[in-house]
Amino acid sequence: MMDLALALRAFVRTVERGSVTAAAKDLGVSQPAVTKHLRNLEAHVGARLVERSARIVRPTPLGQMLYEASQPALASIDAAVEGVRRNMGTVEGLLRVHAPTCVGAKHLHPIAMEFQARHPTISIDLVLEDRVVDLVYENFDLGIKYGRPDGQDLIIRSLGLIRRILVASPAFLAKYGPIDTLERLAEIDMVTTAAVLSPRDTLLLQRGHEGAEVRLRAILRTNNANVIVNSLMTGRVAGPVQHLLVDDELKSGKLIRILPDYEVRSHEIFMAFPSVRFMRPAVRAFTDFVVPRLRAVEGIDPLQRPSPRRDLLSVDGRRVAQAEAQDSFASVAAMES
């Protein structure tokens, strides 16, 4: 006799992944088992639910209707069962979390380990990489993202603003002298990432309500946070860096802020959740634990509403009006603390 719940789970995951093989891997069963569930479910409803090609499995119109009805129902059942367990004092299950390496390795990792120590029945897949992921497709419960996430299938929660500063090592400053003007900043060798540069290869700085645009002499560009920090520590280059990556080095004097009145244009950091899923108690418990700790990290600043317009001053004295049309940031009342 067919297990309808198992068949529906296999169907839902196949639709989300677009692949029977990927769905089987996520569910921890064999590919033939998922195929059998799909075949039995189609026989049960008397209609074809998925179309298979060499590249992808996609739902038929009837299959899409069944997916839209059954996915939230299954998620609600999972949440209800886990809610009962939580009320009994148990938070358990697997959490899949995605985050950028910069904030993930140094800050999210120890927070996640502390959470797991408090909830031994929780296991965590912490995936740290610097790429954009589809949380639903890749079966993540939540993700940490820099910049406002695209798409309508995510619930987002702001964590604050990432503070980026200019730093150099004492050895660099001993060799090249003080960096005390924007003109001097434009003359020195720098390490940077394309993420902080404008399309004109300039760095946008801010000092209070004033802005400045400086063309950098970048001798190294990288997308890896550790490479940036290690390059700065060699004394060969100066550069912009996330404060949260070098807080210890700044406190110990291994790195020194240059042009301390200026900061690099801030970007917002978010926690995002797939909107197609009910938030399981384990995910809610993890979120409640992580959010205040990440917001307390030195280098993640409280969100402040920017001025609607300001002047941007380039190093050659040319003043350019620039709109500060930053996004207004969505949140869900039920999730906000």
Side-chain angles (χ1 to χ4, degrees):
M1 183 176 180
M2 181 186 69
D3 187 321
L4 182 58
L6 288 178
L8 285 171
R9 290 183 191 280
F11 167 70
V12 165
R13 197 60 195 143
T14 300
V15 171
E16 291 175 344
R17 290 288 261 157
S19 165
V20 171
T21 301
K25 182 179 179 181
D26 291 347
L27 296 170
V29 299
S30 67
Q31 185 266 345
V34 172
T35 300
K36 182 177 179 181
H37 283 312
L38 295 177
R39 188 179 301 116
N40 289 342
L41 185 60
E42 288 180 329
H44 182 71
V45 300
R48 177 180 289 183
L49 299 175
V50 294
E51 296 175 342
R52 299 169 177 84
S53 70
R55 296 176 60 89
I56 193 170
V57 177
R58 59 170 57 90
T60 64
L62 291 175
Q64 184 65 31
M65 290 175 58
L66 181 61
Y67 170 78
E68 292 175 357
S70 58
Q71 196 285 331
L74 291 172
S76 181
I77 292 170
D78 291 340
V81 171
E82 195 169 341
V84 171
R85 291 171 177 164
R86 186 180 187 187
N87 289 337
M88 295 173 63
T90 301
V91 175
E92 60 184 16
L94 172 66
L95 291 176
R96 282 182 47 78
V97 181
H98 185 274
T101 55
C102 45
V103 70
K106 191 166 186 178
H107 298 286
L108 183 58
H109 166 237
I111 294 172
M113 291 301 293
E114 183 183 355
F115 176 80
Q116 200 283 326
R118 297 191 182 193
H119 302 282
T121 54
I122 287 285
S123 60
I124 302 172
D125 285 353
L126 180 60
V127 179
L128 304 179
E129 53 188 358
D130 299 314
R131 68 181 180 93
V132 177
V133 299
D134 185 319
L135 297 180
V136 174
Y137 179 79
E138 301 193 35
N139 201 28
F140 286 106
D141 292 296
L142 61 95
I144 306 297
K145 294 177 176 286
Y146 281 12
R148 186 182 180 86
D150 294 327
Q152 301 298 317
D153 58 344
L154 296 177
I155 297 170
I156 59 176
R157 182 174 184 178
S158 176
L159 298 174
L161 293 171
I162 294 295
R163 185 192 318 150
R164 286 184 170 92
I165 58 176
L166 297 164
V167 304
S169 70
F172 180 92
L173 296 174
K175 181 177 181 180
Y176 294 98
I179 313 300
D180 50 12
T181 66
L182 297 180
E183 291 77 11
R184 186 77 180 95
L185 182 69
E187 298 171 352
I188 61 175
D189 292 341
M190 303 280 279
V191 59
T192 186
T193 173
V196 301
L197 297 180
S198 76
R200 298 185 299 275
D201 286 337
T202 56
L203 186 67
L204 301 178
L205 301 174
Q206 56 191 37
R207 180 177 63 179
H209 294 295
E210 296 180 356
E213 183 178 21
V214 182
R215 184 174 295 279
L216 298 185
R217 191 165 79 187
I219 66 167
L220 176 63
R221 301 186 193 201
T222 178
N223 65 344
N224 187 279
N226 289 331
V227 171
I228 291 177
V229 175
N230 291 339
S231 299
L232 292 167
M233 295 293 291
T234 66
R236 176 70 178 82
V237 290
V241 66
Q242 295 178 47
H243 192 136
L244 60 82
L245 290 172
V246 295
D247 188 51
D248 293 338
E249 288 78 4
L250 290 169
K251 290 177 179 176
S252 66
K254 294 178 180 178
L255 290 175
I256 298 171
R257 285 194 67 170
I258 57 177
L259 294 173
D261 290 340
Y262 287 92
E263 293 183 1
V264 182
R265 180 75 56 82
S266 299
H267 291 83
E268 195 164 4
I269 180 173
F270 291 89
M271 181 175 285
F273 312 85
S275 62
V276 297
R277 299 180 182 174
F278 284 81
M279 182 176 286
R280 296 185 291 120
V283 178
R284 186 178 297 279
F286 183 77
T287 302
D288 292 343
F289 187 83
V290 168
V291 167
R293 287 164 174 79
L294 281 181
R295 285 177 173 169
V297 168
E298 184 64 37
I300 299 180
D301 296 325
L303 180 65
Q304 297 178 350
R305 186 178 298 277
S307 301
R309 189 178 182 87
R310 74 177 182 196
D311 286 335
L312 183 68
L313 182 63
S314 66
V315 294
D316 62 3
R318 181 171 54 89
R319 190 172 293 276
V320 182
Q322 179 177 350
E324 287 279 313
Q326 296 189 8
D327 294 324
S328 60
F329 303 110
S331 62
V332 177
M335 292 171 52
E336 289 290 358
S337 57

